Amino acid sequence: MNSISYLAQTAFPLIWPLIAVVGALIRTRHSPSRAAALETWQRWWAVAALGCGSLWMTIAFLTAPDVMATAIGFNASPFQFEIAFANLGLAVMGFRAVSATARERITIGLGAGMFLWGALIGHVYQWFANGDHAPGNTGGVLVCDLLFPAVMIILARYSQRLSANEQLVTAALAGVSSYEAADRKA
């Protein structure tokens, strides 16, 4: 495999976070508030990165299992069917996260992280233990496995904090103490 082909194959998974970032940047140019901008970023990340990225992997593993096995540096295996449906579960969670609360998005990010961070560990292990430098085992897939859930969790956590701060400011402006505001929230 020549260098250009290898680079293209290893970098391809980065298309999904790139679409999410570009889409969110365009949509938040004239955002009315930080909260609105953050919501847009969360939705773009959920749909483009986690949702479409995982749906792409589902389709790839179901329609071209031999190509995917070669891209990862493995022999074809019945486990590829299971990987396809694990990715379908991630895609469904990503699409669900579009209309989810911050708390649900954190849960979705953690659920995605259990699979993707485990996959990341497996890719790195295969890379160092067995010299697997196949384009589907190194490069872009490592970045995506790390970032898809991590960014979702970070954005959702930031959204929770922003919401809590806005509630305290609103309560302060209304002359309500922070203890009363906390009681009202509970």
Side-chain angles (χ1 to χ4, degrees):
M1 176 182 307
N2 67 38
S3 297
I4 301 288
S5 175
Y6 180 85
L7 183 61
Q9 286 182 31
T10 194
F12 181 77
L14 298 174
I15 192 76
W16 307 112
L18 179 65
I19 291 169
V21 168
V22 170
L25 283 172
I26 291 169
R27 292 289 298 164
T28 58
R29 285 180 311 196
H30 306 292
S31 202
S33 68
R34 288 174 54 193
L38 182 56
E39 182 64 25
T40 299
W41 274 91
Q42 290 179 92
R43 288 179 179 184
W44 271 94
W45 193 262
V47 169
L50 184 58
C52 291
S54 298
L55 185 59
W56 172 257
M57 292 304 295
T58 301
I59 294 166
F61 271 106
L62 288 176
T63 61
D66 293 337
V67 171
M68 292 303 292
T70 301
I72 298 169
F74 286 2
N75 295 322
S77 163
F79 289 110
Q80 290 172 261
F81 186 77
E82 294 174 23
I83 295 298
F85 280 90
N87 274 285
L88 181 59
L90 295 178
V92 168
M93 290 190 315
F95 297 136
R96 167 64 185 101
V98 170
S99 61
T101 65
R103 185 174 177 165
E104 291 170 315
R105 287 177 177 151
I106 290 170
T107 303
I108 289 167
L110 289 170
M114 296 308 98
F115 175 72
L116 293 173
W117 294 333
L120 173 66
I121 292 166
H123 289 300
V124 171
Y125 175 80
Q126 291 301 325
W127 180 7
F128 288 102
N130 299 316
D132 184 351
H133 298 283
N137 193 63
T138 58
V141 71
L142 299 178
V143 174
C144 290
D145 285 352
L146 176 67
L147 291 183
F148 284 5
V151 170
M152 179 164 285
I153 293 166
I154 290 166
L155 291 173
R157 186 67 184 120
Y158 184 59
S159 178
Q160 279 183 325
R161 287 187 175 164
L162 185 61
S163 176
N165 288 341
E166 287 176 352
Q167 287 176 356
L168 288 175
V169 168
T170 302
L173 292 174
V176 177
S177 74
S178 58
Y179 296 111
E180 290 173 303
D183 284 343
R184 288 181 183 176
K185 188 177 179 183

